[in-house]
C-alpha cells in the first residue's frame, strides 16, 4: 500500500467511526428511533444507515426494540441504545476521601461506597485497596465497560500526575496512568475532579443538560473548577487550566503548598474550614477529633439550627466562594455556575451570601446574565461525573469498546 492509499484507508476508518458515533449519540439523546428517522436526522443515506446499524447490532452496541409507529401509519422497527445495560465503575480520589461506585450510561447510581479515610501515610494502601475492589467488581459484573477516575487538580493529563495536592502532598507521588491506566480488562479514563463534575451536569442533570457555557465550582476537600465552553472542556496546555483553588484572593494571605499566597483553597475547602474550627475555637465541640468532612457538616448543621457563631462562619465561607465566583465571571463569563461538593451542603444560607458578594463586586451585565446555583444531583457530581467521562468516550469512540470492522 502506498502512502496515498494508506491515507485514504485511514480517512475512511475515521469517517466510519464518526458515523457510528453520530448514530450512538442520536440514540442516546433521542431514545428509540427508526432507521429512517436516524437517516433524516443525520443526513445519511438509508443504505449507509442500514450498513452501520447492522454492524453496531452485530457488535452488541445497539439493538432492535420491536415495532414502532412510522410515518403514514407504516410500521417500522425501532433501534435503541440500552443505557441501563452498560455499567461503569467510577472512582473519586479526594485527598482523605475515596469513593467507588457503579453507574449506568445515564449516571444512575447502582452502588456507592466510601473507602476508609486516607492519610498521607496510607495513600499506598488506598491505591492497593482500590486495585482489589475494582478487580472484584469486574469479576462480579460482566456489564462493566469502563473504569473512570476523578483526581484532584492540577492534573497533568499527559503525565498522569497531580502537580500539587495541598495539605496532602503524598498524592503527588501517585502516577495514575502508570498505576491504573492498563491495569484492567476494560479501558480506564482519568479526569480532573471538577471537570468530571461539569460533565455530569452537562450530560446527566435535566436542569443543565446541554448547557454549553457551564462551570462546575467544586468546593470540598479541595477547591476546583471545570469549565465547559462551547461544548468543550477547557484543559490548558498541561491540563492545569481552571485551577481556581490556586487563584489568590489575598496576595499577602495564608501560604499555600503551590508556592502562592492567599489561594482560595486555603479559605473555603473543608481542610481550611476544619483548621478555622480548631484554631479559632469555633462552635463545633471536639472538632479536632473529626475528619474534615465531618467537621464541616457539623458546622453546617449548627448553622441550620441558627447558632449565631456557626451562621457567621458559613456566611464568611460564602463570601470566600463569592470571591471565587467573581474570578470565574471575569475569566470565563459562563451562563451558569453550579457550586457542588461537601461545602455546597451548607445550603441557602451559603448561596445567599455567595450571590450578595458577587453582586457587590462584579460587572452588572455579567451578574444579571449569569445563574449561580447549588448542585442538586442525587449523587455527588464528581463521582457520578466519572460515568459522564466514560459515557462521552463510549459515544465518541465506539470502536474502543466493541469489535467493529
Ligand atoms: Zn495554592
Amino acid at each position: 500500500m502506498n502512502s496515498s492509499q494508506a491515507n485514504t484507508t485511514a480517512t475512511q476508518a475515521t469517517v466510519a467511526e464518526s458515523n457510528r458515533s453520530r448514530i450512538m449519540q442520536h440514540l442516546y439523546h433521542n431514545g428509540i428511533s427508526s432507521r429512517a428517522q436516524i437517516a433524516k436526522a443525520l443526513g445519511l443515506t438509508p443504505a449507509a444507515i442500514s450498513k452501520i446499524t447492522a454492524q453496531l447490532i452485530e457488535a452488541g452496541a445497539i439493538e432492535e426494540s420491536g415495532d414502532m409507529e412510522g410515518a403514514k401509519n407504516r410500521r417500522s422497527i425501532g433501534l435503541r441504545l440500552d443505557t441501563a445495560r452498560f455499567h461503569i465503575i467510577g472512582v473519586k480520589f479526594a485527598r482523605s476521601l475515596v469513593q467507588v461506585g457503579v453507574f449506568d450510561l445515564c449516571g444512575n447510581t447502582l452502588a456507592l461506597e466510601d473507602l476508609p479515610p486516607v492519610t498521607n501515610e496510607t495513600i499506598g494502601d488506598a491505591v492497593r485497596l482500590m486495585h482489589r475492589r475494582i478487580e472484584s467488581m469486574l469479576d462480579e459484573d460482566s456489564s462493566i465497560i469502563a473504569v473512570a477516575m476523578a483526581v484532584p487538580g492540577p492534573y497533568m493529563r499527559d503525565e498522569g500526575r497531580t502537580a500539587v495536592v495541598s495539605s496532602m502532598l503524598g498524592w503527588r507521588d501517585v502516577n495514575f496512568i502508570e498505576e491504573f491506566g492498563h491495569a484492567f480488562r476494560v479501558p480506564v479514563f482519568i479526569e480532573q475532579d471538577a471537570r468530571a463534575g461539569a460533565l455530569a451536569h452537562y450530560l446527566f442533570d435535566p436542569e443543565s443538560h446541554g448547557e454549553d457555557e457551564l462551570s462546575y465550582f467544586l468546593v470540598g476537600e479541595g477547591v476546583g473548577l471545570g469549565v465547559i465552553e462551547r461544548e468543550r472542556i477547557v484543559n490548558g496546555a498541561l491540563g492545569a487550566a481552571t485551577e481556581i483553588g490556586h487563584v489568590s484572593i489575598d496576595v499577602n494571605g495564608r501560604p499555600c503548598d503551590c508556592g502562592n499566597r492567599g489561594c482560595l483553597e486555603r479559605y473555603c475547602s473543608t481542610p481550611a474550614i476544619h483548621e478555622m474550627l480548631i484554631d479559632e475555637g469555633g462552635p463545633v465541640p471536639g472538632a479536632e477529633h473529626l475528619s474534615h468532612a465531618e467537621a464541616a457538616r457539623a458546622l453546617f448543621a449548627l448553622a441550620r439550627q441558627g447558632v449565631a457563631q456557626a451562621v457567621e462562619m458559613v456566611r464568611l465561607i460564602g463570601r470566600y466562594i463569592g470571591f471565587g465566583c467573581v474570578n470565574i465571571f471575569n475569566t470565563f463569563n459562563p451562563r451558569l455556575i453550579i457550586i457542588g461538593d461537601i461545602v455546597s451542603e451548607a445550603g441557602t444560607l451559603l448561596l445567599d451570601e455567595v450571590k450578595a458578594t458577587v453582586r457587590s463586586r462584579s460587572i452588572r451585565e455579567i451578574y444579571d446574565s449569569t445563574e449561580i446555583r447549588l448542585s442538586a444531583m442525587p449523587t455527588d457530581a464528581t463521582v457520578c461525573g466519572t460515568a459522564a467521562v466514560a459515557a462521552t468516550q463510549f459515544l465518541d469512540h465506539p470502536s474502543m469498546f466493541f469489535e467493529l470492522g
Side-chain angles (χ1 to χ4, degrees), residues 144-399:
I144 291 167
I145 52 148
V147 174
M149 298 179 165
V151 302
Y155 176 65
M156 325 295 260
R157 302 176 76 78
D158 294 341
E159 236 181 281
R161 206 168 51 76
T162 291
V164 184
V165 184
S166 54
S167 80
M168 264 187 94
L169 289 175
W171 280 113
R172 200 179 184 284
D173 300 327
V174 179
N175 185 308
F176 291 98
I177 293 177
E178 282 177 12
E179 192 63 57
F180 295 108
H182 305 283
F184 311 110
R185 68 166 164 83
V186 294
V188 177
F189 305 103
I190 302 164
E191 184 55 279
Q192 180 250 39
D193 48 13
R195 283 178 202 145
L199 270 181
H201 285 281
Y202 182 70
L203 207 58
F204 299 149
D205 180 3
E207 300 288 314
S208 52
H209 179 79
E211 172 54 74
D212 59 1
E213 302 282 351
L214 172 159
S215 290
Y216 179 69
F217 190 2
L218 178 158
V219 193
E221 294 248 309
V223 172
L225 181 68
V227 175
I228 293 177
E229 198 172 67
R230 296 185 185 183
E231 303 181 17
R232 299 183 74 88
I233 287 269
V234 176
N235 286 313
L238 300 177
T242 68
E243 287 303 331
I244 192 82
H246 295 290
V247 166
S248 179
I249 55 167
D250 179 356
V251 290
N252 298 312
R254 300 172 190 167
C256 176
D257 291 325
C258 77
N260 202 352
R261 275 184 172 272
C263 290
L264 185 60
E265 194 158 278
R266 296 285 289 113
Y267 298 84
C268 58
S269 62
T270 55
I273 294 169
H274 199 185
E275 198 178 299
M276 278 192 278
L277 284 169
I278 294 169
D279 293 353
E280 296 168 24
V284 177
E288 63 275 20
H289 304 300
L290 302 176
S291 70
H292 301 322
E294 288 166 345
R297 285 180 172 132
L299 173 71
F300 304 154
L302 291 172
R304 270 193 291 277
Q305 290 161 23
V307 175
Q309 197 188 359
V311 169
E312 210 31 64
M313 279 190 79
V314 169
R315 286 210 172 114
L316 177 64
I317 296 160
R319 282 198 287 284
Y320 290 133
I321 296 173
F323 301 153
C325 286
V326 172
N327 284 321
I328 298 168
F329 268 39
N330 291 328
T331 315
F332 297 104
N333 181 207
R335 253 194 298 270
L336 171 64
I337 297 179
I338 301 168
I339 302 168
D341 220 290
I342 297 166
V343 180
S344 72
E345 294 171 20
T348 314
L349 174 67
L350 180 98
L351 183 63
D352 288 348
E353 196 66 33
V354 171
K355 286 182 175 175
T357 305
V358 178
R359 189 164 66 219
S360 68
R361 288 172 177 248
S362 61
I363 297 161
R364 179 44 64 101
E365 287 86 342
I366 302 181
Y367 179 82
D368 289 344
S369 67
T370 312
E371 184 191 349
I372 304 175
R373 63 174 174 81
L374 302 177
S375 178
M377 294 192 68
T379 303
D380 169 70
T382 299
V383 66
C384 99
T386 58
V389 171
T392 303
Q393 295 292 328
F394 181 84
L395 297 173
D396 286 353
H397 307 290
S399 64

